[in-house]
Each structure stands twice: as structure tokens, then as C-alpha cells.
Amino acid sequence: MYIRFLLMFLLIIINSEFSNADMMKKCIDNTDPKEDFSGVNLDELDYSASIKNCTLALKKNPNNPKILRSLGRSYFKKKDYKNALSFFMKGKNIGDNLSLYYLGLMYQDGLGVEKDIYKTIEFYKLASENGLSVAQTELGYLYEIGEGVQTDYQ
């Protein structure tokens, strides 16, 4: 009797782990393809499915930067910038470079926030210092055109 109970308990744990792993995969498969992250392009993102799967995954992994970023990107695609900002800020607070990049983008374009080139530069710099090439490119462009920074060609 005890062995049967133990086996049933182990099966429940194993099944919940597979369910958790499946939710994580469905959520993280909707992340950004840039750098070393697998996933789909923002243009192809099914934000409804991603929000559903990532919300479930977040309950079991509340500080996972990929899940936070995936939720941020999903709400960003949905044009729900208030929620996107919230998840990107949470990602920023735990050191996620792509969350920093998206925050820079939101402040650069005034998406759900007041346009602020200085915050844009701040977020792009932080992500750039951590090696995110897309943020380095954006920051370089701002220096090239002299937006929010003083251009010095010498």
C-alpha cells in the first residue's frame, strides 16, 4: 500500500514537472531570436497564446527573465504598453538585457510613456555595456545623428 502511494505521488510530481516544462517551452518559444535566445520574430508572435502560456509559466517561475521578457514582448505586440512596461521593468530589475533594449525603444518612440531620449540612452547604454549588439547599434545611431548626445567627429 505504501509503495503504491509513493509511486502515485512520484507520478504526480513527474507529470507536474513535464507540464511546467511544457508551459516554459511554449512561453519561451515566443521570445526574441536576437543574440542567443530562441524564439519567433515579433512580427510573427501570437501574443494571445504567448500571454496565456507565459502567465501560467510565470506562476511557477516568477523571476525567470525569459518569461518576464516574453510577457513584455507579448503585451508590446498587443500594444498594451502599460503591461509591457511593467514586465520589461521587472526584467530590467533582474538584469535582462533585452528588457533594457525594449525599455529604450519604448522611451525612444513614446510607446506608453512620455518620449525621453535621456532614458532611451540610459537603457541602451546599460544593455550595450552587457554586450547586446542590437542596443549597441541603436546607441551608435543616436551618437551618429547627435540625438540626446553631443556629436564629436574628431
Side-chain angles (χ1 to χ4, degrees):
M1 185 76 156
Y2 175 73
I3 293 175
R4 180 184 277 181
F5 175 76
L6 185 61
L7 286 174
M8 289 178 67
F9 181 72
L10 287 173
L11 282 174
I12 291 170
I13 290 173
I14 290 169
N15 284 335
S16 70
E17 286 302 311
F18 283 124
S19 298
N20 187 34
D22 187 45
M23 279 187 295
M24 287 282 292
K25 182 175 178 356
K26 287 179 181 177
C27 171
I28 292 174
D29 278 351
N30 284 311
T31 61
D32 202 293
K34 292 176 176 55
E35 307 305 317
D36 63 343
F37 303 102
S38 62
V40 297
N41 188 304
L42 188 62
D43 294 334
E44 300 166 9
L45 178 70
D46 177 356
Y47 65 80
S48 295
S50 181
I51 290 170
K52 176 185 170 192
N53 290 315
C54 291
T55 300
L56 291 172
L58 187 67
K59 288 178 182 175
K60 295 193 180 221
N61 305 282
N63 292 313
N64 184 303
K66 289 183 179 182
I67 296 172
L68 292 168
R69 179 186 339 113
S70 293
L71 278 163
R73 291 182 74 244
S74 300
Y75 284 111
F76 185 89
K77 168 84 185 264
K78 188 180 176 183
K79 298 186 185 333
D80 180 347
Y81 298 120
K82 179 180 177 184
N83 277 315
L85 181 69
S86 173
F87 285 107
F88 290 142
M89 289 300 277
K90 288 176 185 176
K92 172 194 94 69
N93 291 338
I94 58 174
D96 182 55
N97 282 338
L98 279 169
S99 291
L100 290 167
Y101 166 74
Y102 277 102
L103 286 167
L105 186 63
M106 291 179 77
Y107 279 98
Q108 185 174 10
D109 294 339
L111 301 172
V113 293
E114 191 173 320
K115 269 187 171 186
D116 187 332
I117 193 62
Y118 300 108
K119 283 188 178 181
T120 298
I121 291 168
E122 175 188 344
F123 290 127
Y124 285 164
K125 274 186 180 179
L126 287 169
S128 293
E129 289 167 359
N130 292 318
L132 187 65
S133 61
V134 68
Q136 293 167 347
T137 301
E138 292 293 331
L139 186 60
Y141 176 71
L142 293 175
Y143 273 97
E144 180 182 5
I145 63 172
E147 188 170 348
V149 294
Q150 186 157 7
T151 304
D152 183 1
Y153 294 106
Q154 292 184 4

Short mmCIF file of all heavy atoms in Angstrom, two decimals, residues 85 103 106-117 119-120:
data_model
loop_
_atom_site.label_atom_id
_atom_site.label_comp_id
_atom_site.label_asym_id
_atom_site.label_seq_id
_atom_site.Cartn_x
_atom_site.Cartn_y
_atom_site.Cartn_z
N LEU A 85 5.48 47.64 -20.26
CA LEU A 85 6.41 48.39 -19.44
C LEU A 85 6.64 47.70 -18.09
O LEU A 85 7.78 47.57 -17.63
CB LEU A 85 5.89 49.82 -19.21
CG LEU A 85 6.77 50.74 -18.39
CD1 LEU A 85 8.05 51.09 -19.13
CD2 LEU A 85 6.00 52.01 -18.04
N LEU A 103 12.85 48.67 -23.20
CA LEU A 103 12.56 49.91 -22.45
C LEU A 103 13.11 51.11 -23.21
O LEU A 103 12.44 52.15 -23.33
CB LEU A 103 13.16 49.84 -21.05
CG LEU A 103 12.42 48.92 -20.08
CD1 LEU A 103 13.25 48.67 -18.83
CD2 LEU A 103 11.05 49.48 -19.73
N MET A 106 10.82 51.83 -26.08
CA MET A 106 9.56 52.44 -25.65
C MET A 106 9.75 53.93 -25.36
O MET A 106 8.92 54.74 -25.75
CB MET A 106 8.99 51.70 -24.44
CG MET A 106 8.49 50.30 -24.78
SD MET A 106 7.86 49.41 -23.35
CE MET A 106 6.25 50.22 -23.18
N TYR A 107 10.84 54.27 -24.67
CA TYR A 107 11.10 55.69 -24.37
C TYR A 107 11.50 56.46 -25.62
O TYR A 107 11.18 57.64 -25.76
CB TYR A 107 12.15 55.83 -23.26
CG TYR A 107 11.55 55.65 -21.89
CD1 TYR A 107 11.62 54.44 -21.23
CD2 TYR A 107 10.88 56.70 -21.27
CE1 TYR A 107 11.04 54.28 -19.97
CE2 TYR A 107 10.30 56.55 -20.03
CZ TYR A 107 10.39 55.33 -19.38
OH TYR A 107 9.81 55.19 -18.14
N GLN A 108 12.16 55.81 -26.54
CA GLN A 108 12.57 56.48 -27.79
C GLN A 108 11.36 56.85 -28.63
O GLN A 108 11.29 57.94 -29.20
CB GLN A 108 13.51 55.58 -28.59
CG GLN A 108 14.06 56.24 -29.83
CD GLN A 108 15.10 55.37 -30.53
OE1 GLN A 108 15.28 54.20 -30.19
NE2 GLN A 108 15.79 55.94 -31.48
N ASP A 109 10.39 55.95 -28.69
CA ASP A 109 9.22 56.18 -29.54
C ASP A 109 8.00 56.69 -28.78
O ASP A 109 6.95 56.93 -29.37
CB ASP A 109 8.86 54.89 -30.28
CG ASP A 109 9.93 54.47 -31.27
OD1 ASP A 109 10.73 55.34 -31.68
OD2 ASP A 109 9.97 53.28 -31.62
N GLY A 110 8.11 56.83 -27.45
CA GLY A 110 6.97 57.31 -26.66
C GLY A 110 5.82 56.32 -26.64
O GLY A 110 4.67 56.69 -26.75
N LEU A 111 6.14 55.03 -26.49
CA LEU A 111 5.12 53.98 -26.51
C LEU A 111 4.69 53.67 -25.07
O LEU A 111 5.37 52.96 -24.34
CB LEU A 111 5.67 52.72 -27.18
CG LEU A 111 6.13 52.91 -28.61
CD1 LEU A 111 6.83 51.66 -29.12
CD2 LEU A 111 4.96 53.28 -29.51
N GLY A 112 3.58 54.26 -24.66
CA GLY A 112 3.06 54.04 -23.31
C GLY A 112 3.76 54.87 -22.25
O GLY A 112 3.43 54.78 -21.07
N VAL A 113 4.75 55.63 -22.66
CA VAL A 113 5.50 56.52 -21.77
C VAL A 113 5.74 57.82 -22.53
O VAL A 113 5.62 57.88 -23.75
CB VAL A 113 6.86 55.91 -21.35
CG1 VAL A 113 6.67 54.68 -20.49
CG2 VAL A 113 7.71 55.60 -22.56
N GLU A 114 6.10 58.85 -21.80
CA GLU A 114 6.47 60.09 -22.45
C GLU A 114 7.84 59.90 -23.10
O GLU A 114 8.74 59.31 -22.51
CB GLU A 114 6.53 61.22 -21.42
CG GLU A 114 6.64 62.58 -22.04
CD GLU A 114 6.52 63.68 -21.00
OE1 GLU A 114 5.68 63.55 -20.09
OE2 GLU A 114 7.28 64.66 -21.12
N LYS A 115 7.97 60.39 -24.33
CA LYS A 115 9.26 60.29 -25.01
C LYS A 115 10.34 60.91 -24.13
O LYS A 115 10.16 61.99 -23.58
CB LYS A 115 9.24 61.05 -26.34
CG LYS A 115 8.84 60.26 -27.51
CD LYS A 115 9.04 61.09 -28.78
CE LYS A 115 8.85 60.22 -29.99
NZ LYS A 115 9.16 60.91 -31.22
N ASP A 116 11.46 60.19 -24.01
CA ASP A 116 12.55 60.68 -23.18
C ASP A 116 13.86 60.12 -23.73
O ASP A 116 14.22 58.98 -23.46
CB ASP A 116 12.35 60.26 -21.73
CG ASP A 116 13.36 60.88 -20.77
OD1 ASP A 116 14.50 61.19 -21.21
OD2 ASP A 116 13.02 61.02 -19.59
N ILE A 117 14.56 60.93 -24.51
CA ILE A 117 15.78 60.47 -25.17
C ILE A 117 16.86 60.13 -24.15
O ILE A 117 17.69 59.24 -24.38
CB ILE A 117 16.28 61.49 -26.22
CG1 ILE A 117 17.35 60.88 -27.12
CG2 ILE A 117 16.77 62.76 -25.56
CD1 ILE A 117 16.88 59.71 -27.94
N LYS A 119 16.41 58.79 -21.11
CA LYS A 119 16.13 57.44 -20.60
C LYS A 119 16.43 56.40 -21.68
O LYS A 119 16.93 55.31 -21.38
CB LYS A 119 14.68 57.32 -20.13
CG LYS A 119 14.44 57.97 -18.79
CD LYS A 119 13.06 57.67 -18.26
CE LYS A 119 12.88 58.31 -16.89
NZ LYS A 119 11.59 58.04 -16.31
N THR A 120 16.13 56.74 -22.92
CA THR A 120 16.46 55.85 -24.04
C THR A 120 17.94 55.54 -24.03
O THR A 120 18.34 54.37 -24.08
CB THR A 120 16.07 56.52 -25.39
OG1 THR A 120 14.66 56.74 -25.41
CG2 THR A 120 16.48 55.66 -26.57
#
